[in-house]
Amino acid sequence: MPDLYANIQEVDSEVQERLAAVLELRAADARQQEMLRAYLGEIEFPPQARVLEIGCGTGGVARTLACWPKVAQVLGVDPSALFIEKAIELSAGIANLAFEQGDGCSLTLDADSFDVVVVHTTLCHVPTPESLVAEAYRVLRPGGWLAVFDGDYATATVATGDHDPLEACMDAFRDGFVHDPWMVRRLPGLLQSAGFTLGAIQSHGYVEALEPAYMLTWIERGADLLHQSGRIGALHAESLKAEARRRGEAREWFGHIAFGSVLGRKSV
Ligand SMILES: C[S@@+](CC[C@H](N)C(=O)[O-])C[C@H]1O[C@@H](n2cnc3c(N)ncnc32)[C@H](O)[C@@H]1O
């Protein structure tokens, strides 16, 4: 199953609406915001910084960037017209924030025009990450910073024991929503090969214990994909989702993913 985010423009609008809701659910999560602040805090923003977010989705990260100290202007770019429309709606009244539709692998932006570029949970969805990182390098001014944050999906799990049936949903979710589950481990090499000097490299553990929240959407999306691809019947898919909810009601839920962030600086 190909990664839906990698071909977002071809995904039907009902599915894109569901994904938009998931992105906003995650953006509202205090611990997700904490991880964002942890790596943004390592970046040396110059006064009046111009910031670009590549793969901005519905704009949750861009809205935080617009209020970040020293930031003057933020532009969010994403290939999904539906996400961009939502991002514009959700940022109404934030004067220093703009969005436009575009592909991070072939930006129509000028070279040397941004102080900071942020790529947040996007690179693992891009089949040609080298092109996106090269574009980030091109549009950054000399001395500018690239920050990439992504999930280490290879080790993401909701299993609470051997042969946990919910892991089949996790596997399907990974196949259907993540192009490269190993991306985090390739980030330092990828940035260095593009010409960046490496800055802070951080690991950010994220746990959902007792009650599910965002991770429940992994199971729901994975179960739906297993059904849609003909692997299991509708009843089985519903029972897998019901098992995830039951664990929450019984306060037996546990899920874990490590995110990683890597900073790179363009040479002066
Ligand atoms: C998981 S979402 C992350 C969105 C946002 N950064 C956030 O954290 O809420 C991944 C995003 O990558 C975008 N994307 C996929 N391919 C892309 C590309 N070639 N260039 C830029 N963005 C891309 C998708 O449309 C989607 O909005």
Side-chain angles (χ1 to χ4, degrees), residues 5 8 23 26 53 55-57 78-79 83 103-104 120-122 125:
Y5 279 123
I8 195 72
L23 291 179
R26 201 179 59 172
E53 190 198 354
C56 61
D78 199 282
F83 289 171
D103 179 354
H120 188 97
T121 65
T122 287
H125 300 295

Side-chain angles (χ1 to χ4, degrees), residues 45-67:
F45 285 83
Q48 297 296 309
R50 289 200 66 206
V51 181
L52 170 69
E53 190 198 354
I54 303 178
C56 61
T58 51
V61 169
R63 293 196 296 274
T64 297
L65 283 165
C67 307

Side-chain angles (χ1 to χ4, degrees), residues 43-219:
I43 302 173
E44 293 166 32
F45 285 83
Q48 297 296 309
R50 289 200 66 206
V51 181
L52 170 69
E53 190 198 354
I54 303 178
C56 61
T58 51
V61 169
R63 293 196 296 274
T64 297
L65 283 165
C67 307
W68 199 258
K70 297 188 184 168
V71 170
Q73 272 184 305
V74 179
L75 174 66
V77 172
D78 199 282
S80 160
L82 187 144
F83 289 171
I84 290 295
E85 200 180 308
K86 294 231 176 276
I88 292 169
E89 271 168 35
L90 290 165
S91 66
I94 308 179
N96 64 342
L97 180 52
F99 294 96
E100 63 183 49
Q101 199 182 351
D103 179 354
C105 299
S106 54
L107 294 166
T108 52
L109 302 165
D110 290 342
D112 303 345
S113 55
F114 289 91
D115 299 294
V116 174
V117 174
V118 174
V119 185
H120 188 97
T121 65
T122 287
L123 208 58
C124 71
H125 300 295
V126 177
T128 54
E130 294 82 5
S131 319
L132 192 146
V133 172
E135 277 295 81
Y137 193 88
R138 184 183 68 78
V139 300
L140 275 170
R141 65 160 179 81
W145 288 91
L146 169 65
V148 185
F149 174 90
D150 232 317
D152 191 37
Y153 288 98
T155 53
T157 181
V158 296
T160 51
D162 290 339
H163 314 300
D164 190 321
L166 294 191
E167 277 303 282
C169 300
M170 270 310 296
D171 291 341
F173 165 78
R174 232 187 312 268
D175 285 354
F177 285 89
V178 182
H179 182 79
D180 182 358
W182 303 97
M183 174 51 71
V184 161
R185 295 149 198 243
R186 303 207 296 119
L187 282 177
L190 204 57
L191 266 56
Q192 224 166 22
S193 304
F196 288 100
T197 301
L198 293 181
I201 300 177
Q202 292 175 280
S203 171
H204 315 259
Y206 181 89
V207 177
E208 265 183 19
L210 306 179
E211 283 174 20
Y214 162 68
M215 287 178 184
L216 183 61
T217 74
W218 291 352
I219 302 308

